[in-house]
Every structure is written in structure tokens, then in C-alpha cells.
């Protein structure tokens, strides 16, 4: 997955060598937490051999303790969540574009549904107040007909 053999990772100084530099301190803190007997869930960036950054979700639990109560082993799991991180970023970017378009649209942009014969807006851009003279909650309280009657 990362393109490194275990021997290559060890030759580079161990597991920390493949952890993204910005995530190393947090990784060390979590490792200390597990050794102290805690459980850890984290998302960490790793750097592949080709330089690409990937995201891994990991879970680590203390496995065994010696007679003195020290953790002597761990059990854990790691899996690739890069596709989720890429999707989350794409969604944030799409939402930002949508907000920009909605905010720059003359008048207002809205989303609503018809419930029990009444139209209610679930969302409206900031332009609603300039056009209707009230915020979304007040608009929905008064109803769409009120707005149309004032307009006519």
C-alpha cells in the first residue's frame, strides 16, 4: 500500500519515517497513551514511497499487561480512508461554491417543500431579508401568500 518494504521502513528509522511530518507529534502522543493503558482512535496521514499522502484510520488497544501492570502488547487495526478525505474535501469545496453563487445571486435563492398544503422554505440565501423584509423564520411564520400579496 505504501510502497515500502518492512526492511526499508526500518532502515529509514521505523514507522515514524512514513508518518506525515505534521502528524508525528500527535502520533507520538497517541502511542504514549496506548502504552499507558488507554485506547486510541485516530486518522493519520502517511507518505507513500512515491510521495503521495494517504489517510489511515487506526484503532489501538492495550493487549496484555505484565505482573506489574505494564502494557506489553497492543492490538490494532488500520485502514485506508483517503477516499473519504478526498470526498469530504470535494464536498466542502462544492458547498463553498454553492454559498458563493447563492450570496451573489440578485434577490434570493431558496429551497423549500410543500407540507400539508403550505409551502415552507428550509433554507434561503441572505438576499431573502432584503427582498421580503424579514428573516426565514418570520417568512415561514407569515407564509408564502403574504409575500405574494405584498408583491401584487
Amino acid at each position: 500500500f505504501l510502497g515500502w518494504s518492512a526492511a526499508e521502513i526500518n532502515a529509514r528509522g521505523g514507522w515514524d519515517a512514513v508518518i506525515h511530518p505534521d502528524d508525528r507529534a500527535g502520533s507520538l502522543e497517541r502511542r504514549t497513551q496506548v502504552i499507558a493503558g488507554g485506547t486510541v482512535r485516530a486518522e493519520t496521514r502517511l507518505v507513500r514511497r512515491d510521495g503521495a499522502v494517504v489517510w489511515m484510520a487506526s484503532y489501538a488497544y492495550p493487549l496484555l499487561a505484565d505482573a506489574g501492570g505494564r502494557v506489553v502488547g497492543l492490538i490494532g487495526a488500520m485502514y485506508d480512508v483517503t477516499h473519504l478525505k478526498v470526498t469530504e474535501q470535494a464536498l466542502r469545496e462544492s458547498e463553498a461554491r454553492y454559498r458563493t453563487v447563492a450570496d451573489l445571486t440578485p434577490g434570493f435563492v431558496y429551497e423549500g417543500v410543500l407540507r400539508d398544503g403550505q409551502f415552507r422554505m428550509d433554507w434561503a440565501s441572505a438576499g431573502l431579508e432584503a427582498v421580503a423584509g424579514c428573516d426565514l423564520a418570520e417568512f415561514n411564520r407569515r407564509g408564502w401568500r403574504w409575500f405574494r400579496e405584498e408583491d401584487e
Side-chain angles (χ1 to χ4, degrees):
F1 172 74
L2 294 175
W4 303 98
S5 70
E8 289 171 318
I9 290 173
N10 287 333
R12 295 183 73 223
W15 184 246
D16 287 342
V18 297
I19 297 174
H20 189 281
D22 293 342
D23 292 351
R24 286 183 187 147
S27 180
L28 179 59
E29 289 173 22
R30 290 186 294 275
R31 189 175 314 141
T32 302
Q33 182 181 347
V34 171
I35 291 169
T39 60
V40 170
R41 293 175 181 225
E43 291 179 348
T44 306
R45 290 170 291 177
L46 304 178
V47 181
R48 293 188 337 196
R49 179 183 209 121
D50 64 4
V53 175
V54 294
W55 283 90
M56 296 296 287
S58 61
Y59 303 90
Y61 306 89
L63 180 61
L64 303 169
D66 64 11
R70 291 181 330 160
V71 173
V72 295
L74 305 173
I75 188 167
M78 293 183 77
Y79 58 94
D80 183 8
V81 293
T82 305
H83 62 288
L84 295 174
K85 293 296 187 176
V86 169
T87 301
E88 289 169 355
Q89 181 62 33
L91 178 59
R92 281 190 297 274
E93 291 170 2
S94 176
E95 288 172 340
R97 282 191 303 274
Y98 182 79
R99 269 191 307 277
T100 300
V101 168
D103 289 345
L104 295 176
T105 299
F108 65 98
V109 178
Y110 65 91
E111 182 178 327
V113 295
L114 190 61
R115 291 185 191 113
D116 301 322
Q118 296 293 320
F119 176 78
R120 296 189 55 80
M121 281 192 275
D122 293 327
W123 175 88
S125 64
L128 172 68
E129 287 194 42
V131 173
C134 62
D135 65 13
L136 181 60
E138 180 66 14
F139 186 94
N140 280 330
R141 188 187 66 71
R142 291 181 180 181
W144 186 259
R145 287 192 177 103
W146 155 81
F147 177 71
R148 294 294 302 153
E149 288 167 5
E150 279 195 4
D151 195 35
E152 293 172 354

